């Protein structure tokens, strides 16, 4: 595991993750509307993942595929990411039309704050361990309160 980035080398990663954060509600909106069009959150998610498979396979054709020997089952839990992504995509497609996109994303963000703090604190799943200090707990609590205040009543 490499050390955390700092200084100028941190900024491109922060910008990339900010852009990814901007994309999450766009993804959620499009998948939710596709659910309504198709009448099935599973179908919407399957279409989304199918298109993603075609695009990622095309990119891999240009940048190079991992060797077959890299696909091992010595740590099968690594492949669990696909299950979590499948659950997220299906849940957001199902929930956003019922409770509103903002509310759905606010609850997702609250879950992300709690999960990220726990994973970081214990260094779970191979990530860099970052202790949960009182200052971080306060920051997370303030963010959670902000999320709660920003949600709209249903």
């Amino acid at each position: 595991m490499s050390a955390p980035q700092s200084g100028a080398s941190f900024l491109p990663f922060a910008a990339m993750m900010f852009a990814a954060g901007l994309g999450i509600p766009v993804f959620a909106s499009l998948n939710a509307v596709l659910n309504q069009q198709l009448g099935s959150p599973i179908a919407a998610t399957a279409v989304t993942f199918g298109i993603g498979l075609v695009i990622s396979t095309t990119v891999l054709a240009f940048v190079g595929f991992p060797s077959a020997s890299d696909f091992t089952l010595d740590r099968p839990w690594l492949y669990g990411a696909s299950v979590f992504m499948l659950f997220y995509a299906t849940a957001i497609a199902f929930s956003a039309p019922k409770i509103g996109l903002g509310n759905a994303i606010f609850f997702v963000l609250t879950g992300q704050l709690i999960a990220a703090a726990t994973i970081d604190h214990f260094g779970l799943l191979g990530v860099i361990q970052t202790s949960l200090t009182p200052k971080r707990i306060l920051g997370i609590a303030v963010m959670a309160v902000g999320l709660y205040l920003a949600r709209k009543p249903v």
Side-chain angles (χ1 to χ4, degrees):
M1 182 63 51
S2 61
Q5 298 291 313
S6 61
S9 65
F10 178 82
L11 294 177
F13 294 106
M16 180 174 63
M17 295 317 301
F18 180 77
L22 293 174
I24 289 172
V26 174
F27 162 76
S29 299
L30 295 173
N31 211 39
V33 173
L34 188 57
N35 162 41
Q36 291 178 313
Q37 177 179 320
L38 299 176
S40 168
I42 299 295
T45 301
V47 168
T48 299
F49 280 23
I51 292 169
L53 175 64
V54 170
I55 293 169
S56 60
T57 303
T58 302
V59 171
L60 279 172
F62 288 99
V63 301
F65 289 90
S67 70
S69 64
D70 290 335
F71 293 95
T72 66
L73 291 178
D74 61 333
R75 297 183 295 171
W77 51 272
L78 294 176
Y79 300 99
S82 58
V83 176
F84 285 103
M85 195 62 220
L86 174 65
F87 176 72
Y88 169 73
T90 304
I92 201 79
F94 180 75
S95 299
K98 293 175 175 34
I99 66 171
L101 179 67
N103 283 342
I105 295 293
F106 295 142
F107 287 112
V108 166
L109 290 173
T110 302
Q112 286 179 329
L113 288 171
I114 293 167
T118 302
I119 291 167
D120 275 357
H121 180 72
F122 294 105
L124 302 173
L125 308 173
V127 304
I128 299 167
Q129 192 275 334
T130 306
S131 296
L132 193 55
T133 63
K135 182 179 176 182
R136 286 189 77 206
I137 292 170
L138 178 61
I140 292 166
V142 167
M143 290 175 74
V145 168
L147 289 170
Y148 176 78
L149 294 174
R151 73 175 180 80
K152 67 178 184 185
V154 180

